Amino acid sequence: MERRTFIGGGAAAIAAVATAACDGGGSADATRSTVSTSLTSRTPAAAPANWAALARDLDGRLIRPGDADWTTARRLYNTRFDSLKPAAVAYVAHPDDIRTTLAYARAHGVKVAIRNGGHSYAGWSSGNNRLIVDVSELNRVRTGGGTAVVGAGSKLIDVYRALTAKGVTIPAGSCPTVGVSGLVLGGGHGVASRAYGLTCDSLTQATLVTADGKTLTADATTNKDLFWALRGAGNGNFGVVTELRFKTHPAPQGVTAYVTWPWSKAAAVVKAWQEWGPTQPDEIWSSCHLENGGSPTVAVAAFSMGTYGELQNALDRLADKVGSPARHVTLQRHSYESAMEAYAGCSSFATDAQCHLPGSTPGRSRQGALGRETYTAHSDFFDRSIPAAGIQTLLRQISSVRGGSGSIALTALGGAVNRVSPTATAFVHRRSRMLAQYLASWKAGTTGTTAQSWLTGAHNAMKPYASGAAYQNYTDPTLKDWRKAYYGDAAAKLAKVKKQYDPQGFFSYPQSL
């Protein structure tokens, strides 16, 4: 799935519109050119170290500069961070490997970065001179009795396939190579969230290794404060998560929809959709997507776990509110698995292995056919509908895109997401109606200066209409008061939990607690 592309019609449109549900995985999966500098300034020089000794002590692979797989191993999903130069990548095979790696880092004064899918929006699942602890080998998925036990290194496409084979699922995102641990620890939203809640709302237990090598289990009765914190603020703050337990949900047949209107109707579409989307029955998710990759477009995508006719009728009601018939309407029935593969952009692949990034390192596939992307993003939550003046501001910003592609995706919340108390988990954004993602992308290898300038302007222009909160999984290094934006009233309690479980601040990055 490409975040930067929004193509009309069929599977391509389904894949592209899933941008709105494509969860980045948080700060340690856990932007701008200043990221490299900030990580360098926070990272002390490593003491003379015998990397060969660490490699011998691990059952998993340690990959270093000069090794055959180094170029692949050091890179994140976003090409913007290709200039980062980590010291090594440890593909840990089990918790003992994690303990060994953390002990080595402590002994030699090496900063670590925790990585799964490598989708950190700020590049903080890597860093100059850092030792990357990559959990991709911890990828076993098993399910039964209403529970799924998922290795923290599992990628979303593999989780979906394993669970839907048993007729169940968990609510999660759409990008196939996002790591499940990065997603859930920052909240996790997707096309099933209005029906089943956030990914973290289905989490019942997490196991992690702390900085001093202890293995802890956190659930509703054991380490309860840690369990609370992990559901929304767990990325890279308290330890290296090894295993996750989820309550599973039925994986019924679904219906996807993609609807477009002429740009001249964009204001009416946004006005109508923002009243329609958050108030639909729980089984209907939707997103209103505005993009300019040469000319501005407006579209609504929807996914329903109800019937074809119910979604069709709901979209007819939306069109009535717009006051104009849609230009293009596509509705398609899917099995749950095929719907998730469509959103992942994998429907056309002949084999499961192709729905991965290419490579021979853990988490990738030699037959992988997916590509990396070049982009940067901001986010906003909206607690109320955008007024007419705000809608006009939104449209002016989309019309002014220059130097690449720019989009603003509005995702409907409500439903099960909003029925959880803001204090029940560390994901506090439970009273918002919509989540906005502002995204700019450009050709890899170019600076993207114009596109990034547009993004900053668009985000700033919409601030008067937004709540001031931001989504922690869309990590944003430009936020001045990120603690308040991400965590709101939970920030003070999170600081206490951090002090209790990581008193030395071993797990650190620019926005760590």
Side-chain angles (χ1 to χ4, degrees):
M1 194 210 76
E2 295 188 350
R3 288 178 173 85
R4 62 181 178 273
T5 308
F6 191 77
I7 310 166
I14 292 171
V17 79
T19 297
C22 188
D23 229 310
S27 50
D29 180 28
T31 44
R32 307 180 172 274
S33 58
T34 58
V35 170
S36 176
T37 302
S38 69
L39 287 177
T40 303
S41 65
R42 285 174 172 262
T43 304
N50 184 349
W51 291 101
L54 175 60
R56 288 194 299 270
D57 288 342
L58 296 176
D59 288 328
R61 296 175 65 189
L62 183 75
I63 300 180
R64 288 269 294 148
D67 291 344
D69 284 327
W70 176 245
T71 298
T72 300
R74 71 175 181 83
R75 285 179 172 172
L76 302 181
Y77 180 78
N78 194 331
T79 68
R80 291 177 53 233
F81 306 116
D82 283 358
S83 62
L84 293 175
K85 297 178 180 179
V89 178
Y91 288 99
V92 293
H94 42 63
D96 281 344
D97 269 2
I98 296 173
R99 278 185 277 274
T100 297
T101 302
L102 298 183
Y104 180 92
R106 292 197 309 273
H108 297 285
V110 179
K111 287 283 189 179
V112 301
I114 307 168
R115 188 179 74 184
N116 185 354
H119 282 258
S120 168
Y121 275 32
W124 293 337
S125 46
S126 181
N128 291 326
N129 302 317
R130 291 198 174 218
L131 171 56
I132 298 175
V133 183
D134 191 296
V135 298
S136 294
E137 288 271 31
L138 309 179
N139 60 3
R140 185 182 178 193
V141 180
R142 58 192 190 276
T143 185
T147 297
V149 182
V150 180
S154 303
K155 306 304 182 281
L156 289 189
I157 191 62
D158 300 317
V159 174
Y160 279 133
R161 285 170 172 161
L163 296 186
T164 55
K166 303 292 187 180
V168 297
T169 192
I170 58 173
S174 299
C175 291
T177 60
V178 161
V180 66
S181 52
L183 176 77
V184 65
L185 296 175
H189 78 92
V191 299
S193 290
R194 298 190 74 253
Y196 293 150
L198 301 176
T199 314
C200 72
D201 296 334
S202 292
L203 185 69
T204 60
Q205 186 182 92
T207 304
L208 72 162
V209 178
T210 60
D212 56 3
K214 294 178 181 177
T215 296
L216 297 180
T217 296
D219 57 28
T221 58
T222 304
N223 294 309
K224 293 188 293 185
D225 52 352
L226 178 60
F227 185 55
W228 170 84
L230 288 174
R231 291 173 291 162
N235 276 308
N237 277 309
F238 306 106
V240 182
V241 173
T242 61
E243 187 177 85
L244 302 154
R245 288 179 178 262
F246 295 97
K247 174 181 64 177
T248 58
H249 306 268
Q253 185 180 60
V255 184
T256 60
Y258 176 75
V259 188
T260 69
W261 283 265
W263 181 249
S264 61
K265 298 296 181 181
V269 172
V270 174
K271 180 181 178 181
W273 173 86
Q274 67 179 348
E275 298 299 329
W276 177 87
T279 61
Q280 290 307 293
D282 290 0
E283 63 267 21
I284 298 178
W285 167 94
S286 66
S287 171
C288 182
H289 195 109
L290 304 104
E291 180 168 8
N292 191 342
S295 60
T297 61
V298 59
V300 169
F303 173 74
S304 177
M305 290 188 287
T307 68
Y308 186 101
E310 288 168 343
L311 181 57
Q312 187 175 47
N313 290 339
L315 291 170
D316 286 343
R317 291 192 292 271
L318 173 62
D320 288 343
K321 289 178 177 291
V322 173
S324 175
R327 171 190 287 173
H328 176 86
V329 181
T330 300
L331 278 87
Q332 293 179 309
R333 294 182 178 89
H334 299 266
S335 68
Y336 195 90
E337 179 182 357
S338 69
M340 296 306 104
E341 290 184 348
Y343 282 120
C346 299
S347 293
S348 63
F349 293 157
T351 67
D352 289 355
Q354 288 179 281
C355 196
H356 294 82
L357 292 171
S360 58
T361 55
R364 292 174 176 249
S365 168
R366 293 183 186 276
Q367 293 79 43
L370 297 176
R372 298 190 302 145
E373 299 180 58
T374 308
Y375 61 93
T376 187
H378 300 302
S379 69
D380 274 322
F381 284 96
F382 290 84
D383 292 348
R384 56 185 60 87
S385 293
I386 302 170
I391 293 174
Q392 291 303 317
T393 300
L394 188 69
L395 302 188
R396 282 196 300 271
Q397 294 304 316
I398 289 294
S399 297
S400 69
V401 172
R402 299 289 185 275
S405 176
S407 67
I408 301 175
L410 303 171
T411 297
L413 300 176
V417 175
N418 288 39
R419 285 197 290 272
V420 176
S421 167
T423 61
T425 68
F427 185 93
V428 299
H429 316 293
R430 304 290 188 165
R431 296 295 178 260
S432 297
R433 289 177 62 84
M434 302 176 291
L435 168 63
Q437 179 174 222
Y438 310 81
L439 190 141
S441 59
W442 57 96
K443 185 178 179 180
T446 62
T447 62
T449 301
T450 303
Q452 292 184 69
S453 178
W454 168 82
L455 180 70
T456 300
H459 188 222
N460 287 340
M462 293 304 295
K463 283 183 179 179
Y465 311 103
S467 69
Y471 183 27
Q472 48 266 52
N473 266 356
Y474 295 161
T475 315
D476 187 347
T478 71
L479 291 175
K480 293 181 180 179
D481 191 354
W482 54 267
R483 286 183 177 84
K484 182 178 180 181
Y486 295 155
Y487 308 121
D489 292 340
K493 181 178 177 180
L494 285 169
K496 295 178 181 178
V497 178
K498 173 71 170 179
K499 187 173 182 180
Q500 179 180 354
Y501 290 95
D502 184 23
Q504 302 303 316
F506 175 81
F507 296 105
S508 66
Y509 53 92
Q511 288 182 354
S512 55
L513 294 171

